[in-house]
């Protein structure tokens, strides 16, 4: 409305200037004129006011058809794409007329006599205020009164359209039968009809206001209304979603109130109620500071009654909560430093929030099955020389066992590898000692591991564990015999702990015993080191074919690696943190089953437990394979084009042999890889082989013995683990269309003139595109399958899972989506979710239905769609939750 008032005033000034006495029209060939105000006749006795401003700026006008004047030169006519530019103001219309005698200005479109279509409506723009369009405009330059018919203007994501607008001398704007809507069409599908109103600079006062949907007036309205215009986000009611739960009854879900607190933060107060007495409340707040940071905080609390009335589950409702906080810093806010937060605190045990609320209205099966959560808040700094450090506070929570692990905080400090013996002014190649590199890394933490119920008791701080780990790697790499990549080095580790443990055993006459573990405060340190060397190269093989159709050649690349690692035995008492366990008499405690002394590390369970192994002198070996086919390309019409198809990608085998191990010197041999059968179908697989055989002992139990498979006459080692997985989409164009849709979103985000609300909506789409239904993709069906096999001492077990999802456009405006899976153990379908979406341009309608299972329910949602979603043909998925 502010744009409308200022535009009317400027229109009168510009058109009045067009017909000053010294204006002469150009010939019809040019139809363009630039006029400068004649100041010789200016009355300097008059004071300049709001409506008597100086007109020294240049005025440009043109028309594609013609510019005409009446015989008495009192009327000027501009026909066909008439355009007027005055300063930063622009006006376009098919027809513009100025009557000097009556001091009236008129601008309008023209009606095509053949089609009857009205086009070329006046469009005006002032500075950065955006554009407005109208059916026609009248203005009296003497009284400064104006009338605008059929206006269409955008104001912060909302649109004013239709009716009449009348400007008074005091700049008040009187409006009649003007509709306000978030629908971006000149004839909107819905809106608030303002029958009468007065618009001032800071407020809008109206008479009767009522809702119109598809040109049908509704009973929703007010006899009068007052709307302040604070030039910031406004607040409003969020309508709930109705539906029914199989056990909790009918519900009103996710209703509440939106608070537009400022341009930097807002809040949503939401709630859901059920007829059996269950309820949920939440507070969500988003905050942002442009070019600095953004984030959100969400607090949710739920109380759900399950089962039948009179049962314990009904009498004792499940009370759960969830606290999330996400914060990210703009990369350009402070180069070299970052601050981020990802906090997710969830009630656990019987009150598991995800299970009791079906993942907080999202009904996401993966989230419902979540058993662990993690949170972190971190700050990091990187200097120009590569030295960096970070501080992180983190937690890991097990929702089933209620175990919680905290780091308060964790410090890391790293110095990148450098060449201590090299010179910056060196000339020529490096000498062997100049290739030596050294680095340094330090990690320190304060940690607590306990049950969540014991975290804040009186002894909570006594469980704090503090320690530091220092790591110094030394390495030297070079090329031997042109093709062999050789490296030699070692790593030294030093561990500091400010708490240690002592174990004492009480032994009884019947060879039973009990153990007691005491935590002792005090500083202790221990170190370890290892030496290593490695060798690798690449071997290429190629076979060309002439009579295999489109297959032209096959290429095989092998990358063999070999390494040797040595480390002393740090588990002997006196050589590291290990000590001999004592009994109640202060004597060495022997394990009754082996009659050998029991040793333990005093760093067990501490913040820096370290890695102290027995003596190692092991050779490691590996082989990586890549196989590609070169085939004739069908897309190349010349017949000379070729393309590569990767058949095997990264099929690797790895193992080791420890010379000093007392038994089982050869480790199991593991393998993993990926095979790409087509451009759209690939399979990942992995597994392991055990080189040792199984034999039945004297007690008839199958056991693993230290004898290789070939020593027992077997050709292949025993397969102990194997698994593969793949996913496939039946619509090859779905991914392409999705990428095109994402490009469209990015293009929209890069456009200027978006309001902050529209920018926030685009950011939400970019963060989670899967939370929106895309009508640009007509259909898709995809599925994923995984299979796992394990053989433990001759007992084989298998597990496999199948999940599938899809969507289909019944018409360009109707879409059906579904997702489910198959449970092979129970031979049945997993819970299914079916949703039907109707794109109503500026509205969303969705029906969500869970036909069976633990979350049997349905819900219906009808809501207004954001203007950005209207343009991109996207719909927000409606989350819901129930418990059967």
């Amino acid at each position: 409305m502010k744009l409308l008032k200022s535009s009317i005033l400027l229109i009168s000034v510009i058109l009045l200037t067009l017909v000053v006495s010294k204006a002469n029209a150009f010939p019809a060939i040019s139809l363009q004129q630039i006029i400068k105000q004649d100041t010789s006749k200016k009355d300097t006795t008059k004071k300049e006011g709001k409506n008597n401003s100086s007109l020294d700026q240049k005025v440009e006008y043109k028309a594609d058809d013609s510019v005409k004047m009446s015989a008495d030169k009192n009327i000027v006519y501009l026909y066909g794409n008439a355009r007027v530019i005055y300063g930063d103001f622009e006006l376009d219309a098919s027809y513009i007329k100025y009557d000097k005698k009556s001091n009236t200005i008129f601008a309008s479109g023209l009606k095509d006599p053949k089609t009857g279509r009205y086009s070329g409506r006046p469009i005006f723009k002032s500075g950065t205020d955006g554009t407005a369009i109208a059916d026609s405009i009248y203005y009296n330059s003497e009284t400064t009164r104006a009338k605008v018919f059929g206006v269409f203007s955008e104001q912060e994501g909302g649109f004013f359209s239709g009716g009449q607008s009348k400007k008074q001398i005091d700049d008040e704007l009187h409006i009649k039968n003007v509709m306000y809507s978030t629908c971006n069409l000149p004839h909107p599908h819905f809106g608030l009809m303002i029958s009468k109103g007065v618009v001032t600079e800071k407020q809008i006062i109206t008479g009767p206001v009522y809702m119109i949907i598809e040109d049908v007036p509704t009973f929703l309205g007010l006899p009068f209304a007052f709307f302040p215009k604070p030039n910031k986000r406004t607040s409003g009611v969020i309508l709930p979603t109705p539906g029914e739960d199989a056990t909790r009854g009918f519900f009103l879900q996710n209703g509440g109130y939106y608070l537009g607190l400022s341009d930097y933060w807002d809040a949503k107060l939401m709630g859901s109620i059920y007829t059996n007495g269950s309820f949920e409340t939440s507070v969500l707040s988003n905050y942002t500071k442009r070019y600095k940071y953004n984030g959100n905080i969400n607090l949710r609390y739920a109380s759900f009654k399950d089962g039948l009335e009179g049962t314990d589950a009904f009498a004792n409702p499940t009370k759960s909560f969830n606290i999330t906080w996400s914060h990210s810093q703009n990369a350009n806010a402070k180069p070299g430093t970052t601050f981020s937060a990802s906090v997710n605190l969830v009630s656990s045990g019987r009150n598991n929030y995800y299970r009791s609320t079906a993942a907080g209205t999202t009904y996401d099966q993966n989230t419902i099955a979540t058993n662990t959560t993690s949170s972190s808040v971190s700050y990091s700094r990187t200097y120009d020389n590569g030295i960096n450090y970070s501080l992180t506070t983190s937690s890991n929570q097990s929702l089933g066992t209620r175990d919680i692990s905290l780091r308060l905080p964790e410090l890391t400090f790293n110095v990148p590898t450098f060449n201590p013996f090299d010179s910056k002014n060196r000339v020529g190649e490096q000498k062997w000692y100049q290739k030596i590199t050294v680095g340094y890394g330090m990690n320190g933490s304060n940690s607590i591991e306990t049950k969540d119920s014991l975290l804040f008791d009186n002894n909570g701080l006594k469980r704090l564990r503090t320690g530091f780990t220092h790591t110094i790697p030394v390495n030297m790499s070079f090329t031997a015999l042109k093709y062999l990549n050789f490296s030699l080095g070692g790593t030294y580790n030093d561990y500091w702990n400010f708490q240690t443990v002592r174990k004492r055993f009480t032994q009884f006459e019947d060879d039973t015993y009990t153990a007691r573990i005491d935590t002792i405060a005090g500083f202790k340190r221990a170190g370890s080191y290892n030496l290593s060397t490695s060798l690798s190269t690449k071997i290429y093989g190629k076979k060309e074919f002439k009579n295999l159709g489109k297959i032209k050649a096959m290429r095989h690349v092998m990358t063999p690696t070999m390494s040797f690692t040595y480390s002393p035995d740090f588990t002997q008492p006196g050589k590291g943190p290990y000590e001999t366990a004592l009994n109640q008499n202060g004597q060495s405690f022997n394990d009754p089953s082996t009659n050998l002394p029991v040793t333990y590390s005093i760093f067990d369970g501490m913040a820096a437990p370290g890695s102290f192994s027995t003596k190692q002198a092991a050779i490691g070996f590996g082989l990586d394979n890549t196989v590609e086919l070169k085939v004739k390309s069908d897309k190349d019409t010349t017949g000379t084009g070729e393309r590569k198809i990767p058949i095997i990608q990264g099929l690797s085998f790895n193992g080791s042999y420890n010379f000093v191990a007392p038994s089982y010197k050869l480790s199991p041999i593991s393998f993993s890889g990926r095979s790409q059968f087509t451009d759209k179908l690939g399979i990942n697989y992995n597994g392991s082989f055990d080189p040792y055989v199984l034999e039945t002992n004297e007690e008839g139990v199958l056991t693993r013995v230290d004898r290789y498979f070939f020593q027992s006459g077997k050709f292949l080692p025993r397969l102990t683990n194997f698994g593969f997985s793949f996913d496939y989409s039946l619509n090859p164009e779905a991914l392409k269309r999705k990428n095109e849709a994402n490009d469209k979103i990015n293009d929209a985000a890069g456009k200027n003139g978006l309001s902050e609300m529209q920018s926030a909506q685009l950011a939400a789409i970019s963060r989670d595109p899967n939370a929106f239904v895309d009508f640009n993709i007509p259909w898709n069906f995809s599925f994923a399958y995984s299979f796992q096999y394990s053989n433990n001492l001759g007992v084989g077990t298998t597990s496999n899972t199948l999940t599938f999802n899809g969507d289909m456009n019944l018409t360009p405006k109707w879409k059906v989506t579904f997702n489910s899976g198959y449970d092979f153990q129970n031979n049945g379908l997993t819970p299914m979710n079916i949703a039907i979406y109707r794109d109503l341009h500026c509205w969303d309608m969705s029906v969500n239905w869970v036909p069976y299972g633990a979350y049997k329910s349905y819900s219906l949602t009808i809501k207004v769609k954001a203007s950005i979603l209207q343009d991109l043909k996207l719909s927000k998925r409606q989350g819901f939750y129930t418990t059967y």
Side-chain angles (χ1 to χ4, degrees):
M1 290 303 177
K2 183 179 179 182
L3 169 64
L4 183 60
K5 292 190 295 183
S6 60
S7 301
I8 291 174
L9 177 61
L10 286 173
I11 290 172
S12 63
V13 173
I14 294 170
L15 295 182
L16 179 62
T17 308
L18 292 177
V19 290
V20 293
S21 58
K22 291 195 175 184
N24 296 313
F26 275 67
I29 298 176
S30 174
L31 297 181
Q32 180 170 347
Q33 190 167 1
I34 299 177
I35 305 175
K36 185 174 182 179
Q37 175 68 20
D38 185 1
T39 59
S40 62
K41 297 182 181 181
K42 182 177 179 181
D43 188 353
T44 58
T45 62
K46 289 186 178 182
K47 295 182 179 180
E48 292 184 359
K50 183 181 296 186
N51 298 323
N52 191 32
S53 59
S54 174
L55 300 177
D56 290 338
Q57 298 188 61
K58 291 183 179 181
V59 176
E60 301 180 30
Y61 72 89
K62 69 174 184 177
D64 288 350
D65 193 353
S66 61
V67 178
K68 299 180 180 179
M69 299 184 68
S70 62
D72 55 3
K73 297 185 179 181
N74 285 332
I75 302 178
V76 177
Y77 304 90
L78 289 85
Y79 294 94
N81 293 328
R83 181 175 179 82
V84 176
I85 300 177
Y86 179 75
D88 61 356
F89 181 83
E90 301 176 8
L91 170 67
D92 294 90
S94 287
Y95 173 68
I96 298 175
K97 169 188 173 183
Y98 177 75
D99 189 336
K100 183 178 179 181
K101 187 175 183 180
S102 61
N103 295 313
T104 59
I105 302 166
F106 176 73
S108 70
L110 294 176
K111 188 174 181 179
D112 191 323
K114 295 182 180 179
T115 62
R117 183 179 179 183
Y118 187 72
S119 60
R121 289 176 171 84
I123 301 175
F124 44 94
K125 177 182 179 182
S126 177
T128 60
D129 291 336
T131 60
I133 186 172
D135 288 341
S136 59
I137 299 174
Y138 280 102
Y139 185 80
N140 189 298
S141 61
E142 184 176 359
T143 64
T144 70
R145 287 188 171 94
K147 282 187 179 181
V148 179
F149 296 88
V151 69
F152 180 71
S153 175
E154 180 182 4
Q155 300 290 329
E156 282 294 327
F159 300 88
F160 291 92
S161 60
Q164 301 179 23
S165 304
K166 185 176 182 181
K167 177 186 172 296
Q168 303 296 344
I169 299 177
D170 56 0
D171 281 348
E172 279 191 356
L173 192 65
H174 294 187
I175 59 177
K176 180 180 179 181
N177 297 330
V178 173
M179 182 178 290
Y180 174 76
S181 175
T182 58
C183 181
N184 58 5
L185 296 178
H187 187 76
H189 293 102
F190 79 101
L192 286 175
M193 176 59 70
I194 303 175
S195 58
K196 292 181 179 179
V198 177
V199 181
T200 65
E201 184 177 356
K202 296 183 179 180
Q203 61 190 9
I204 302 175
I205 304 172
T206 74
V209 177
Y210 56 93
M211 176 73 74
I212 292 182
I213 300 177
E214 292 291 353
D215 296 330
V216 178
T218 67
F219 63 90
L220 300 174
L222 295 171
F224 60 90
F226 170 79
F227 302 100
K229 295 173 59 182
N231 294 324
K232 63 181 182 180
R233 293 189 181 189
T234 57
S235 304
V237 175
I238 301 174
L239 298 178
T241 297
E244 182 185 10
D245 180 87
T247 57
R248 294 170 182 166
F250 293 96
F251 59 74
L252 292 175
Q253 203 173 74
N254 294 332
Y257 197 79
Y258 174 80
L259 297 172
L261 301 174
S262 72
D263 292 337
Y264 303 101
W265 67 296
D266 63 4
K268 281 198 300 184
L269 308 177
M270 306 283 287
S272 302
I273 57 174
Y274 296 76
T275 53
N276 78 332
S278 300
F279 68 90
E280 182 182 12
T281 61
S282 66
V283 178
L284 171 63
S285 179
N286 298 282
Y287 60 89
T288 183
K289 189 170 184 181
R290 186 174 295 181
Y291 310 123
K292 295 293 184 180
Y293 55 80
N294 63 80
N296 62 77
I297 300 175
N298 195 1
L299 310 177
R300 297 187 282 189
Y301 176 81
S303 176
F304 283 149
K305 295 182 178 181
D306 297 321
L308 300 176
E309 187 173 359
T311 61
D312 291 339
F314 190 90
N316 300 304
T318 301
K319 298 180 179 180
S320 57
F321 69 89
N322 178 219
I323 301 174
T324 61
W325 175 36
S326 176
H327 178 93
S328 61
Q329 176 182 302
N330 189 293
N332 298 322
K334 196 173 182 181
T337 65
T338 59
F339 176 78
S340 63
S342 178
V343 176
N344 186 15
L345 303 179
V346 185
S347 56
S348 58
R350 175 179 177 268
N351 301 327
N352 187 325
Y353 177 82
Y354 290 139
R355 294 183 182 177
S356 63
T357 65
T361 77
T362 63
Y363 194 68
D364 180 59
Q365 290 292 329
N366 293 328
T367 306
I368 294 173
T370 297
N371 194 42
T372 59
T373 63
S374 60
S375 303
S376 66
V377 179
S378 63
Y379 171 83
S380 64
R381 175 70 186 273
T382 301
Y383 296 93
D384 294 338
N385 56 7
I387 296 176
N388 63 86
Y389 71 89
S390 66
L391 286 168
T392 303
T393 299
S394 63
S395 71
N396 292 288
Q397 184 182 7
S398 175
L399 304 182
T401 62
R402 306 189 67 174
D403 291 329
I404 187 169
S405 175
L406 299 178
R407 299 289 185 271
L408 303 167
E410 187 169 13
L411 167 68
T412 60
F413 177 81
N414 294 286
V415 177
T417 57
F418 61 96
N419 302 84
F421 305 109
D422 200 0
S423 174
K424 294 182 179 180
N425 301 322
R426 171 179 51 84
V427 178
E429 295 185 358
Q430 285 180 316
K431 298 181 180 178
W432 68 269
Y433 60 87
Q434 292 177 326
K435 296 180 180 180
I436 297 176
T437 61
V438 179
Y440 172 75
M442 186 267 287
N443 178 272
S445 69
N446 293 314
S447 63
I448 298 177
E449 295 184 3
T450 183
K451 300 289 185 180
D452 56 10
S453 58
L454 303 176
L455 183 60
F456 298 104
D457 63 5
N458 296 331
N459 296 321
L461 293 179
K462 293 183 179 180
R463 302 185 185 93
L464 186 67
R465 304 289 182 260
T466 305
F468 293 87
T469 300
H470 307 268
T471 303
I472 303 176
V474 180
N475 190 65
M476 181 177 64
S477 301
F478 56 91
T479 301
L481 302 177
K482 294 178 63 175
Y483 303 108
L484 302 179
N485 299 316
F486 184 80
S487 67
L488 176 66
T491 303
Y492 176 78
N493 302 290
D494 206 62
Y495 308 99
W496 298 357
N497 281 287
F498 292 85
Q499 297 86 19
T500 55
V501 297
R502 299 294 184 273
K503 293 183 180 181
R504 185 175 292 273
F505 292 84
T506 301
Q507 194 168 12
F508 303 98
E509 294 181 356
D510 58 355
D511 287 340
T512 60
Y513 59 89
T514 60
R516 187 183 72 185
I517 302 177
D518 298 323
T519 301
I520 308 298
F523 174 76
K524 293 287 184 179
R525 62 154 299 278
S528 68
Y529 64 89
N530 64 75
L531 302 175
S532 64
T533 182
S534 65
L535 185 68
S536 67
T537 188
K538 286 185 178 295
I539 302 174
Y540 298 89
K542 184 177 180 181
K543 176 65 175 179
E544 295 185 352
F545 305 100
K546 297 182 179 180
N547 301 316
L548 284 181
K550 294 183 178 181
I551 300 177
K552 299 299 182 182
M554 181 176 67
R555 185 191 187 196
H556 183 195
V557 181
M558 294 185 293
T559 307
T561 60
M562 184 171 292
S563 64
F564 178 78
T565 303
Y566 171 80
S567 64
D569 187 358
F570 294 101
T571 64
Q572 294 295 325
K575 292 186 178 181
Y578 280 78
E579 292 188 359
T580 301
L582 303 178
N583 59 17
Q584 67 272 27
N585 300 320
Q587 299 173 343
S588 174
F589 172 74
N590 294 340
D591 187 346
S593 61
T594 61
N595 200 29
L596 296 175
V598 175
T599 61
Y600 68 95
S601 172
I602 63 175
F603 290 169
D604 284 345
M606 298 299 102
S611 177
F612 302 94
S613 62
T614 58
K615 187 176 182 180
Q616 297 282 331
I619 288 181
F621 52 87
L623 179 63
D624 185 83
N625 298 267
T626 299
V627 178
E628 294 178 336
L629 288 180
K630 183 181 290 186
V631 299
K632 181 180 178 181
S633 176
D634 295 331
K635 298 180 180 180
D636 191 340
T637 57
T638 63
T640 59
E642 297 176 341
R643 63 188 181 97
K644 295 180 180 179
I645 299 178
I647 301 300
I648 298 178
Q649 295 173 297
L651 175 58
S652 60
F653 296 87
N654 296 280
S656 63
Y657 186 88
N658 188 2
F659 290 95
V660 296
S663 60
Y664 300 100
K665 299 179 183 294
L666 181 62
S667 70
I669 301 172
S670 62
F671 67 92
S672 64
R674 173 180 174 83
S675 292
Q676 193 74 30
F677 295 107
T678 68
D679 292 339
K680 306 175 186 66
L681 176 62
I683 294 182
N684 297 291
Y685 44 87
N686 61 82
S688 63
F689 293 101
D690 190 347
Y692 300 99
V693 297
L694 300 178
E695 290 185 356
T696 304
N697 59 16
E698 296 177 355
E699 299 176 356
V701 178
L702 197 65
T703 59
R704 183 171 179 254
V705 297
D706 188 10
R707 186 165 66 253
Y708 297 120
F709 65 96
F710 55 82
Q711 292 177 326
S712 298
K714 295 185 178 181
F715 181 71
L716 292 174
R718 181 168 51 91
L719 181 67
T720 56
N721 292 284
F722 177 71
F724 68 91
S725 63
F726 67 90
D727 55 80
Y728 188 75
S729 175
L730 296 182
N731 183 5
E733 295 295 324
L735 181 60
K736 179 181 178 181
R737 288 177 176 265
K738 187 172 183 179
N739 293 334
E740 291 175 351
N742 291 336
D743 293 339
K744 188 176 182 181
I745 292 172
N746 295 331
D747 292 341
K751 291 181 179 178
N752 296 324
L754 293 179
S755 66
E756 290 193 10
M757 183 178 295
Q758 292 171 327
S759 299
Q761 292 162 357
L762 280 175
I765 298 171
S766 300
R767 285 194 301 267
D768 188 9
N770 293 323
F772 296 85
V773 179
D774 193 347
F775 280 84
N776 294 298
I777 300 176
W779 71 274
N780 186 31
F781 180 82
S782 60
F783 57 91
Y785 177 78
S786 65
F787 172 85
Q788 294 292 328
Y789 166 81
S790 64
N791 188 326
N792 185 19
L793 297 178
V795 179
T797 58
T798 60
S799 65
N800 43 26
T801 58
L802 173 66
T803 60
F804 54 85
N805 64 83
D807 58 74
M808 178 177 61
N809 286 5
L810 300 178
T811 70
K813 301 291 185 180
W814 284 93
K815 180 181 281 289
V816 178
T817 68
F818 62 91
N819 64 77
S820 184
Y822 189 81
D823 188 342
F824 290 90
Q825 184 175 359
N826 297 318
N827 295 323
L829 293 174
T830 60
M832 176 178 288
N833 181 22
I834 301 174
I836 302 175
Y837 294 89
R838 174 66 165 93
D839 182 11
L840 301 173
H841 180 257
C842 50
W843 286 78
D844 267 341
M845 184 186 75
S846 63
V847 178
N848 296 272
W849 179 38
V850 182
Y852 58 86
Y855 300 94
K856 183 179 179 181
S857 64
Y858 70 86
S859 66
L860 171 67
T861 303
I862 300 178
K863 63 183 184 296
V864 176
K865 186 191 295 186
S867 58
I868 288 295
L869 302 185
Q870 299 169 27
D871 296 333
L872 299 178
K873 293 191 69 178
L874 297 178
S875 294
K876 185 73 169 67
R877 294 184 187 272
Q878 173 63 35
F880 65 97
Y881 60 89
T882 54
T883 297
Y884 181 70

